[in-house]
Amino acid sequence: METLTTYDFIITASIIVIASFWFNIISKKTNIPSVLLLILLGIILNLTLQFLFGSVPDFIGSLKILGTIGLIMIVLEAALELELKREKFWPILKSMVIAVLGLIASAYVAALILHQFIPNMTMQSAWLYATPLSILSSAIIIPSVGGLKEKKKEFHIYESTFSDIIGIMMFYFLTGKLNPTEDQGAVGFAWNLALTIVIALVASYAIILIFQRIQSQAKLFLLIAVLLLLYAIGKKMHLSSLIIILVFGLIVKNVKLFFPGKTKIFLESERMKQIYHELHIITLETAFVIRTFFFVIFGVTIVLSSLLSLNVAFVSLLIIISIYGIRYLLLFVFIRKDILPQLFIAPRGLITVLLFYAIPSEAQVDGFESGILLFVIIATSLIMTWAMIKDKQKIGTLLDEIDEEIVDRNLTEDIIRENQMENKKEISEKGPGEQIIDSTTRKDMGNKSGTLK
């Protein structure tokens, strides 16, 4: 059996990145999430490796590393898009409430389903398995909603970002319950959250004040390294480290808001604009590359035989129905009207996979098949694809109707204008006498018609 060489890895990695670029173009034209195409590419790569070499390398370790870095980049990318204004307070609050209630309700119902239909599944383990299945995927949503109206686009960015962060906090809160010595309870959790926010604010201000004075051109990867370091140290301290990333991104995006009044003297506006612009580009590019390899490797690690189980299909279907049922109720209560296509934009993805592999060994259940994970991810992504295509067609139909009305109106105006021009031309061609006779004749005809009446 041949072994993969360094050049084989380079060729494969290059082809994957190029393919991902074209998948993004296809996604924009068809609304099919590029994530599905990347997973499919991973499955094809798996079959190819098995055919050529007889086995597939173990990618689980690299999947966890890529997922963690990808998560940081995606949250930072989303935070750099969020503009904080007074008029956006209620939309942000509403999206956060929907994200939290949707997460908790979906996890509770999914836990009941798993507890009921998976052998040897305790309720505690069911909550740990259900939480990843209940978190929205910002990795799929943010790149997919660019064509929606601005308000709907912002709602999805806020909601998916809050779902990511709060979902991860909830997952690690539940894992702490497995070990009574590490369980801090609700009060400890609140204290942990408050401490994380304070550290995030202090670290963010310090980073901005230092980095805006660094003259070196090669400082952005240094900045990202500092953020990764803060995230890892925070996780070691059992803090909600994603909040550090979120707060930093929000401050960089809304720097004038966080440096009010006389504190502006500490701010170099031009330098911060440059840092924001460059950081935004490098975050976007890095998130693209990491997201690409994460989902391809996930496709490689999939066990396709698990999809053939009737129990997997049945459990997955129940979870999917509960996801959209709960989402409909929440959107109906908080938004009431115009809830399409928001109702169907609820895909699961990167964080679902990442947290699934982070479930502690003492909570793992042999009866749970990973096919449920894949089934839910693919189904929710396909449903979102269908909804986005329908919404695009609806917008296209409305635009066509508007175009037809404009064309009809223009034709009518052209006809009226031509008639007016012809009348003017006829009048100008007649002499003064003819015009007087013509007007007298029209007057006599009007009198006669009145007499006849």
Side-chain angles (χ1 to χ4, degrees):
M1 182 187 75
E2 294 183 25
T3 57
L4 287 170
T5 66
T6 302
Y7 302 111
D8 292 328
F9 278 108
I10 293 173
I11 291 169
T12 305
S14 300
I15 291 173
I16 288 171
V17 172
I18 293 168
S20 181
F21 173 79
W22 286 106
F23 289 166
N24 278 352
I25 295 174
I26 294 170
S27 178
K28 288 179 182 178
K29 291 184 178 294
T30 63
N31 283 320
I32 297 173
S34 58
V35 168
L36 290 182
L37 300 175
L38 291 171
I39 293 174
L40 179 61
L41 179 60
I43 293 172
I44 294 171
L45 185 60
N46 183 334
L47 297 174
T48 304
L49 289 172
Q50 287 186 0
F51 176 76
L52 294 176
F53 304 102
S55 63
V56 179
D58 185 8
F59 289 112
I60 298 298
S62 59
L63 192 67
K64 292 179 181 179
I65 295 171
L66 282 172
T68 302
I69 298 174
L71 178 61
I72 294 169
M73 291 295 105
I74 289 165
V75 170
L76 181 58
E77 179 189 351
L80 291 171
E81 295 280 354
L82 300 180
E83 191 174 1
L84 300 179
K85 289 183 178 179
R86 185 173 296 177
E87 60 267 24
K88 292 185 179 181
F89 173 78
W90 285 113
I92 292 173
L93 182 63
K94 187 185 293 185
S95 63
M96 184 173 71
V97 171
I98 292 173
V100 173
L101 293 179
L103 173 69
I104 296 172
S106 298
Y108 174 67
V109 176
L112 291 176
I113 294 169
L114 294 174
H115 177 63
Q116 183 68 33
F117 294 102
I118 302 297
N120 303 320
M121 178 74 76
T122 64
M123 198 61 190
Q124 190 176 32
S125 293
W127 269 97
L128 278 170
Y129 277 92
T131 300
L133 291 168
S134 305
I135 300 174
L136 297 172
S137 175
S138 59
I140 298 176
I141 291 174
I142 292 174
S144 302
V145 296
L148 296 180
K149 294 178 182 177
E150 192 62 29
K151 287 185 178 180
K152 292 185 178 183
K153 176 184 172 182
E154 286 186 349
F155 167 77
H156 286 298
I157 291 174
Y158 294 139
E159 184 197 23
S160 61
T161 304
F162 286 130
S163 181
D164 284 354
I165 294 170
I166 297 167
I168 290 169
M169 291 167 58
M170 177 175 160
F171 178 82
Y172 285 107
F173 175 75
L174 292 171
T175 56
K177 292 286 183 183
L178 295 172
N179 189 348
T181 60
E182 295 182 4
D183 185 16
Q184 298 176 330
V187 175
F189 180 75
W191 164 251
N192 180 296
L193 181 60
L195 179 61
T196 304
I197 293 173
V198 171
I199 292 173
L201 288 170
V202 173
S204 298
Y205 276 106
I207 291 171
I208 288 172
L209 292 174
I210 293 170
F211 272 82
Q212 69 180 354
R213 286 170 172 77
I214 295 177
Q215 299 299 322
S216 173
Q217 294 296 319
K219 60 179 179 291
L220 289 177
F221 273 107
L222 174 63
L223 176 56
I224 290 174
V226 171
L227 292 176
L228 293 175
L229 179 64
L230 288 172
Y231 177 87
I233 292 173
K235 293 304 292 183
K236 287 285 186 180
M237 297 170 61
H238 304 290
L239 300 176
S240 303
S241 296
L242 271 184
I243 291 178
I244 299 174
I245 308 300
L246 177 66
V247 169
F248 174 76
L250 288 174
I251 292 177
V252 172
K253 172 63 177 176
N254 305 275
V255 70
K256 292 182 179 179
L257 180 66
F258 287 91
F259 283 85
K262 294 181 179 180
T263 59
K264 287 182 181 179
I265 62 172
F266 300 106
L267 191 64
E268 296 181 19
S269 299
E270 292 303 318
R271 295 283 294 169
M272 281 308 303
K273 285 181 182 178
Q274 182 185 359
I275 289 173
Y276 168 76
H277 178 68
E278 293 175 352
L279 183 62
H280 195 263
I281 291 173
I282 202 167
T283 302
L284 195 69
E285 296 282 355
T286 306
F288 162 75
V289 173
I290 293 173
R291 188 189 296 123
T292 294
F293 285 107
F294 178 86
F295 284 109
V296 169
I297 292 174
F298 174 62
V300 171
T301 60
I302 287 171
V303 181
L304 293 175
S305 59
S306 63
L307 292 176
L308 302 177
S309 169
L310 289 177
N311 190 52
V312 166
F314 178 68
V315 172
S316 302
L317 188 61
L318 288 179
I319 292 173
I320 291 166
I321 291 170
S322 70
I323 286 170
Y324 293 105
I326 292 167
R327 188 163 180 79
Y328 173 77
L329 291 175
L330 288 171
L331 292 177
F332 180 76
V333 169
F334 288 98
I335 297 179
R336 292 188 178 277
K337 57 182 181 179
D338 193 21
I339 61 173
L340 296 176
Q342 299 97 297
L343 172 61
F344 300 108
I345 300 179
R348 274 55 179 162
L350 188 147
I351 295 179
T352 300
V353 178
L354 184 63
L355 294 184
F356 172 74
Y357 287 113
I359 295 174
S361 56
E362 59 267 32
Q364 292 179 8
V365 177
D366 294 333
F368 183 89
E369 296 187 67
S370 59
I372 295 172
L373 206 67
L374 179 62
F375 207 105
V376 172
I377 289 173
I378 291 177
T380 51
S381 296
L382 288 175
I383 290 169
M384 185 189 80
T385 301
W386 170 80
M388 296 289 285
I389 291 172
K390 293 291 288 184
D391 185 69
K392 193 173 183 179
Q393 289 175 346
K394 183 177 72 174
I395 292 172
T397 304
L398 289 173
L399 290 174
D400 290 340
E401 291 177 0
I402 292 170
D403 287 342
E404 288 176 4
E405 289 180 5
I406 292 171
V407 169
D408 291 341
R409 191 186 307 146
N410 290 339
L411 286 173
T412 305
E413 290 176 354
D414 289 342
I415 292 169
I416 293 171
R417 195 179 297 110
E418 287 176 3
N419 290 336
Q420 289 175 344
M421 292 294 291
E422 288 177 2
N423 291 336
K424 286 180 180 179
K425 187 176 181 181
E426 288 177 3
I427 291 171
S428 63
E429 288 175 352
K430 291 179 180 180
E434 288 178 316
Q435 292 178 22
I436 293 170
I437 292 168
D438 194 48
S439 64
T440 304
T441 305
R442 282 198 297 271
K443 185 176 180 182
D444 290 342
M445 288 177 68
N447 292 335
K448 288 177 182 180
S449 65
T451 304
L452 288 172
K453 288 177 182 179

